[in-house]
Amino acid sequence: MELRHLRYFVAVAETGSLTVAAEKRLHTSQPSLSRQIRDLEDEVGAELLSRSARGVELTAAGRAFLDHARLALAQVDAATEAARRASKPAKEVFALGFLTGEEMTWLPRAMRLLRDELPNIDVTVSSHYSPDLADALARGKLDLAFLRAEPGYDLDYRVVDREPLVVLMPSDHPLASRESIRPDDFAGEPFVAASNKAKVLRGVIDRYVEESGIGVTPKHGVDNLAMAMSLVASTRGLSLMPAYAQNLLPSSVVSRPLAGVTPSIELVIGYSRSNASAALKLFLSRADELVVTDAGLSAA
């Protein structure tokens, strides 16, 4: 079994099409790709993909194989990145990632933790969606990230904050005159929900909706905060988002707290335990200093 077999299989699984995977992702011919997949199935000893006129679907064996294939590819990428860094040892690069918008609160705190090492390292900063950050950590592209505790990755997580969810709405919405929003206020309102890509946030929202008996039918699914704000403004709907959204709201959108028991979502720092970076070791040894509140966890 070769790495290309794993890459080809993952590409087909993610696109759901041999043709699309061949043309758009792998830049090879469809017959060649089909042969590679058959070779992989022969090697594994099980059918991984079910082929039909509508495309391809994962079999039970394929679903079991997919997570392991992704992990194997991520580990290869991480090893490659580690080798590249080791070949240029003059000055260590410490790559920080942030869930988009969270850097406003957490970048200054992170830099304070690294202040003793700053003369010896170059710090790079990037912001992305949470699943993309987890993938970058697993592949060795990032040393540490502020994100959600994404499942399915071989990463360690430490909770640094629990953020309450707030209600986003158009600034001229009738509910904007309320000090807080009750569950029954959602009745009949268009609802902008988190998509399955934002699975951690989606899980928190779904539990709250179910436990509160909110009768909503999501009209749209979004995987990032910018899209949520845009759809709230354009559809005149309501959305539930973490409180840090309040730092980024345009004038057309406002937020209100939830009445009663308020659901919250964890913000964590994530990293790979196999990462031997000295700067990461220092950061983790001082990570408790990130939480600078009188008691408990902060609300960013």
Side-chain angles (χ1 to χ4, degrees):
M1 187 181 304
E2 299 182 18
L3 286 175
R4 73 170 184 276
H5 292 129
L6 300 183
R7 296 191 192 280
Y8 286 2
F9 169 71
V10 170
V12 174
E14 291 179 346
T15 60
S17 166
L18 285 162
T19 302
V20 173
E23 294 179 356
K24 304 296 185 181
R25 291 275 294 271
L26 302 170
H27 307 293
T28 188
S29 67
Q30 190 269 332
S32 175
L33 176 57
S34 295
R35 285 195 301 272
Q36 298 290 342
I37 295 298
R38 285 196 297 271
D39 289 345
L40 176 61
E41 290 176 324
D42 289 343
E43 182 80 17
V44 173
E47 185 182 37
L48 303 176
L49 299 170
S50 174
R51 300 155 180 83
S52 69
R54 294 174 298 177
V56 295
E57 295 181 353
L58 290 171
T59 64
R63 288 192 295 272
F65 189 74
L66 179 59
D67 286 341
H68 293 284
R70 283 174 170 157
L71 179 58
L73 291 173
Q75 289 174 334
V76 169
D77 287 346
T80 301
E81 187 66 20
R84 286 173 178 165
R85 290 188 181 187
S87 69
K88 302 175 182 178
K91 198 170 186 182
E92 180 181 354
V93 175
F94 188 70
L96 273 172
F98 293 88
L99 182 62
T100 300
E102 294 284 11
E103 66 272 17
M104 298 174 67
T105 298
W106 297 96
L107 178 57
R109 299 183 190 183
M111 295 303 286
R112 282 198 297 271
L113 265 61
L114 293 168
R115 62 183 180 271
D116 295 334
E117 277 296 303
L118 289 178
N120 306 315
I121 61 175
D122 288 328
V123 178
T124 65
V125 178
S126 59
S127 63
H128 299 283
Y129 308 150
S130 184
D132 295 335
L133 291 170
D135 186 69
L137 287 169
R139 295 180 183 275
K141 304 294 185 183
L142 290 175
D143 292 298
L144 183 134
F146 290 74
L147 72 167
R148 308 301 178 199
E150 300 290 343
Y153 294 93
D154 187 23
L155 300 173
D156 281 350
Y157 298 115
R158 295 190 192 181
V159 177
V160 294
D161 197 10
R162 291 190 180 94
E163 304 171 273
L165 298 191
V166 297
V167 185
L168 303 188
M169 67 189 72
S171 56
D172 59 349
H173 194 283
L175 291 175
S177 62
R178 303 275 184 87
E179 291 187 3
S180 61
I181 306 302
R182 303 185 305 269
D184 56 7
D185 291 329
F186 286 82
E189 298 288 345
F191 189 67
V192 179
S195 72
N196 288 329
K197 182 175 181 180
K199 62 179 65 176
V200 179
L201 176 59
R202 177 66 179 264
V204 172
I205 293 174
D206 286 352
R207 283 193 297 274
Y208 174 72
V209 167
E210 180 179 358
E211 292 170 2
S212 302
I214 296 176
V216 297
T217 301
K219 300 295 184 182
H220 305 279
V222 299
D223 55 25
N224 64 81
L225 184 55
M227 190 184 301
M229 293 186 293
S230 177
L231 281 172
V232 165
S234 61
T235 67
R236 300 193 57 74
L238 305 182
S239 185
L240 288 168
M241 288 289 149
Y244 82 93
Q246 296 169 129
N247 297 329
L248 305 169
L249 294 181
S251 59
S252 58
V253 177
V254 296
S255 70
R256 294 292 180 267
L258 284 163
V261 178
T262 303
S264 63
I265 186 169
E266 292 179 344
L267 181 73
V268 303
I269 53 173
Y271 56 93
S272 171
R273 67 179 67 90
S274 64
N275 189 332
S277 164
L280 175 62
K281 183 177 180 180
L282 170 68
F283 193 101
L284 295 175
S285 72
R286 302 181 62 182
D288 289 345
E289 298 175 34
L290 285 169
V291 185
V292 287
T293 57
D294 292 334
L297 294 167
S298 66

